[in-house]
Amino acid sequence: MQINTAEYVISSPDYTKCPATDRPEYAFIGRSNVGKSSLINMLTNNQKLAKTSGTPGKTQLINHFIINKSWYIVDLPGYGFAKVSQRDRRRWEQMIENYLRKRENLVNVFVLIDSRHKPQKLDLDFVNQLGKWEIPFSLVFTKSDKENQSTVAANVKAFLDEMRKEWEFLPAHFVSSAIKKQGRDKVLAFIRDSSERYREEMKNKEAQDDKGVNK
């Protein structure tokens, strides 16, 4: 997939304030400081699109970016280690849950996992929660350039093995590096194929609705 344009649209405090649900969208989420903004910038080939920061918890709203005028990337607040009050943390959690469960045009959630570390309970709990909510997701193992490849491979395998204890089928997964642009083509191809399926499903749904009206 060729990225021709990538533009910031809006930051929303609630899913009801997000743009119209007329295009497929893909959300990116992970623990604070997992490299989410760097990944988004790498995918779009625009290093200034999403604001990167070494301070965990910098993203606090639902951030929409429109790609090629035809689909959205959504940058969600990180979960985990942000130093915020319990009240703010709960507000974020509710905002994220409402978005994930109620956003009609959400095609897939990319859950970012730091490939330098062994499986973390927080990440496993989050993907299991997505499963309970029946929200489609994929895994992106980030920062693969910051560790030797045998360690990265072992950590990815260990995470998938942990998931197998709860899951019959595993989601798609990608290994990425924002520095080396590893995983870029595969993630974009996944988005392209998913968007094509989504648009076909919407077309079929509209056709069915039209049949129902004409009866």
Side-chain angles (χ1 to χ4, degrees), residues 163-192:
M163 283 193 69
R164 285 188 178 93
K165 296 176 181 178
E166 302 283 339
W167 294 75
E168 184 178 0
F169 302 104
L170 295 181
H173 74 275
F174 309 90
V175 177
S176 75
S177 162
I179 301 297
K180 296 183 177 181
K181 295 194 174 184
Q182 180 186 2
R184 183 177 188 267
D185 290 344
K186 290 181 178 180
V187 171
L188 290 178
F190 179 88
I191 291 173
R192 178 200 63 213

Side-chain angles (χ1 to χ4, degrees), residues 115-117 143-152 155:
S115 69
R116 299 173 298 174
H117 305 307
K143 303 186 179 184
S144 66
D145 60 289
K146 299 185 183 300
E147 187 57 85
N148 68 71
Q149 294 310 294
S150 60
T151 299
V152 169
N155 289 338

Side-chain angles (χ1 to χ4, degrees), residues 108-123:
N108 187 76
V109 179
F110 289 99
V111 182
L112 278 57
I113 311 292
D114 193 327
S115 69
R116 299 173 298 174
H117 305 307
K118 293 180 179 179
Q120 304 291 307
K121 183 177 184 299
L122 194 63
D123 294 323

Side-chain angles (χ1 to χ4, degrees), residues 29-190:
I29 192 169
R31 289 196 306 170
S32 297
N33 216 21
V34 74
K36 182 159 47 69
S37 296
S38 296
L39 177 67
I40 291 171
N41 291 344
M42 180 267 280
L43 290 174
T44 58
N45 209 24
N46 183 343
Q47 295 309 306
K48 296 181 179 180
L49 188 65
K51 293 180 180 178
T52 58
S53 171
T55 305
K58 200 70 175 176
T59 303
Q60 300 184 16
L61 299 168
I62 302 168
N63 301 300
H64 273 75
F65 304 93
I66 191 164
I67 314 301
N68 291 346
K69 306 291 186 184
S70 62
W71 55 278
Y72 289 113
I73 280 178
V74 183
D75 183 6
L76 294 174
Y79 55 82
F81 298 120
K83 293 181 180 179
V84 295
S85 67
Q86 197 67 31
R87 181 180 177 183
D88 282 344
R89 185 187 297 271
R90 183 56 196 148
R91 178 173 56 81
W92 284 4
E93 289 173 351
Q94 193 63 58
M95 175 181 69
I96 292 168
E97 178 179 341
N98 285 338
Y99 168 82
L100 292 174
R101 300 183 75 177
K102 299 178 181 180
R103 187 70 173 161
E104 296 174 357
N105 59 326
L106 176 61
V107 177
N108 187 76
V109 179
F110 289 99
V111 182
L112 278 57
I113 311 292
D114 193 327
S115 69
R116 299 173 298 174
H117 305 307
K118 293 180 179 179
Q120 304 291 307
K121 183 177 184 299
L122 194 63
D123 294 323
L124 289 165
D125 286 347
F126 185 76
V127 297
N128 287 335
Q129 187 63 65
L130 289 178
K132 291 175 183 175
W133 291 339
E134 299 183 350
I135 296 169
F137 70 93
S138 306
L139 305 174
V140 181
F141 293 90
T142 62
K143 303 186 179 184
S144 66
D145 60 289
K146 299 185 183 300
E147 187 57 85
N148 68 71
Q149 294 310 294
S150 60
T151 299
V152 169
N155 289 338
V156 170
K157 181 179 183 300
F159 193 92
L160 297 177
D161 285 345
E162 284 296 320
M163 283 193 69
R164 285 188 178 93
K165 296 176 181 178
E166 302 283 339
W167 294 75
E168 184 178 0
F169 302 104
L170 295 181
H173 74 275
F174 309 90
V175 177
S176 75
S177 162
I179 301 297
K180 296 183 177 181
K181 295 194 174 184
Q182 180 186 2
R184 183 177 188 267
D185 290 344
K186 290 181 178 180
V187 171
L188 290 178
F190 179 88

